[in-house]
Amino acid sequence: MSTAELKNSLITHINQINDEFPLNALRTIIESKSHSTTNTYLEEYNNELLIAEEEIEKGNYFSHQEVKDRMKQWKKN
């Protein structure tokens, strides 16, 4: 199947979907591929890791037990 045929086939299938959830999932996949290159993704990922490490060094984190306790509280509400 050529690229053009594949695109047309996908368009046909997408036009038959009436549920918002799979359409949003497809949009997310397509946007992630069309707006972001691998290098950009890696740069963003590494930047997020640096930010997270800085937050940990500042003490801005929750222990595993604290997270579990918070989840219990959320379930009660």
Side-chain angles (χ1 to χ4, degrees), residues 15-65:
N15 283 330
Q16 295 173 357
I17 298 172
N18 294 317
D19 184 357
E20 190 175 322
F21 180 78
L23 292 172
N24 280 324
L26 287 168
R27 183 185 66 198
T28 299
I29 293 168
I30 291 167
E31 286 177 353
S32 72
K33 293 297 179 189
S34 63
H35 293 161
S36 179
T37 63
T38 302
N39 288 338
T40 302
Y41 171 78
L42 290 175
E43 288 174 17
E44 289 175 10
Y45 178 76
N46 287 330
N47 189 43
E48 289 176 11
L49 286 177
L50 289 173
I51 292 169
E53 289 172 348
E54 290 171 1
E55 292 298 313
I56 291 169
E57 288 176 9
K58 293 177 188 175
N60 295 334
Y61 62 89
F62 297 103
S63 70
H64 183 251
Q65 187 60 49

